[in-house]
Amino acid sequence: MAILKGPMKLEGRVGDLIFYRRGNKTCCRSMPVYKPGSMTTASKQSAGEFGQASKAGKLFRQALSGLWPTPQDSGMVNRLNKTMYSALRADTRPRGQRVITPAALKEALKNFRFNNKAVPNIQVSCTREKGQLRIHMPEQWVQRLKRPRYASHVQVQVAALAMDAATGACRKVATVTDCVALDASHTGVLPMLQSPPDPRLTTVVLLQLRFIKEEANGQIYSSAEKTGMLSCIIEVLLPEKKLKPAANERPVAIARKKPRVVEAIAAPPGRKTSTPAPQSHSFHESPS
């Protein structure tokens, strides 16, 4: 790998060379050459699993778009994909058949930061109570914050996402916002959030602290410093109910009782009997 140290800045492909940015450096690498059959079966399986983890990370980022401005650093996408891939590799199935389980997602995503420039110095937790989510802020959390210069208020935003990485479902469920002056005290109690209506999905709870400045004319400006916007995952709640069996698993057939056959009694000679006509019955069986 070559590193360009001169004033010339390049990005993209030039012939067989690829120029790309890594942090504050411009790097260069040669174009890889793939031959037919060069990838082994294990390499194809690993590539497929990494693609599955990258897709899960993309679904997560798409659910966040439009929610609030996320302070992304240059390596956020790679860090999120790596985190999803580590959650997928925690599965005990053979390579090529592994999926992202809720337990592995809880272990990997908790305390994930979208902005590495802002480090949280308070511990925020979340609990589920009767179909709602309660956010627990520590005592005197406003005074513990490392505030940037000229900041007068801090905006607290909490969001809940319902995520199922196995099926590719990820959507916003509820949000709550509060604004607190930095020179005032706060009780640490935020409004309750609505829990996902489907108890089979994993709930991801996110927190964002955004420092703002209020001018004398009432205008509000966000802090220009990178440390002025903290966005992280505070809790991952496991599903309350387990998923149903897969569609290809057929349920166990229940043995039905055979219909009872009643033998006809012979009528005495010379007497005519009227035999009732058989009635047609239609049975609608549920598909197995």
Side-chain angles (χ1 to χ4, degrees), residues 158-170:
V158 183
L161 301 180
M163 186 174 186
D164 184 5
T167 60
C170 186

Side-chain angles (χ1 to χ4, degrees), residues 14 17 25 73 97 100 110 121 134 136 142 145 171 223 225 238 253 257 262 266 271 284:
V14 179
L17 301 178
K25 299 179 181 180
D73 54 43
Q97 303 177 6
I100 301 177
K110 188 175 180 179
N121 53 358
R134 181 181 295 276
H136 302 275
V142 179
L145 296 176
R171 60 185 180 85
S223 176
E225 299 182 13
L238 298 178
K257 295 182 179 180
V262 181
R271 181 180 298 178
H284 299 279

Side-chain angles (χ1 to χ4, degrees), residues 200-272:
R200 300 171 299 176
L201 299 180
T202 305
T203 305
V204 182
V205 185
L206 302 97
L207 170 71
Q208 185 175 90
L209 299 178
R210 181 182 180 187
F211 290 95
I212 58 179
K213 179 184 178 182
E214 185 180 6
E215 298 290 348
N217 55 1
Q219 295 291 333
I220 295 177
Y221 301 93
S222 300
S223 176
E225 299 182 13
K226 293 183 178 180
T227 58
M229 187 177 291
L230 167 68
S231 184
C232 63
I233 298 175
I234 59 175
E235 192 61 65
V236 179
L237 301 175
L238 298 178
E240 296 179 308
K241 294 183 180 180
K242 295 183 179 180
L243 295 175
K244 294 182 179 180
N248 54 2
E249 297 180 4
R250 302 184 63 181
V252 181
I254 301 176
R256 298 181 179 179
K257 295 182 179 180
K258 296 182 179 181
R260 183 179 180 183
V261 180
V262 181
E263 298 181 355
I265 302 175
R271 181 180 298 178
K272 296 182 179 181

Side-chain angles (χ1 to χ4, degrees), residues 44-120:
K44 293 179 180 179
Q45 292 175 349
S46 299
E49 288 185 346
F50 188 78
Q52 180 182 350
S54 301
K55 184 179 179 180
K58 182 180 179 181
L59 292 173
F60 190 79
R61 287 185 282 109
Q62 287 178 348
L64 285 177
S65 62
L67 184 63
W68 55 51
T70 306
Q72 302 179 6
D73 54 43
S74 57
M76 192 277 295
V77 176
N78 294 333
R79 289 191 292 107
L80 182 59
N81 293 341
K82 185 178 179 180
T83 302
M84 291 293 185
Y85 187 53
S86 64
L88 186 140
R89 293 187 61 183
D91 194 6
T92 57
R93 296 184 180 90
R95 181 165 48 184
Q97 303 177 6
R98 293 181 289 195
V99 296
I100 301 177
T101 59
L105 200 64
K106 175 181 177 64
E107 185 68 22
L109 276 183
K110 188 175 180 179
N111 298 328
F112 179 84
R113 298 199 311 268
F114 295 93
N115 181 17
N116 269 343
K117 301 296 182 180
V119 180

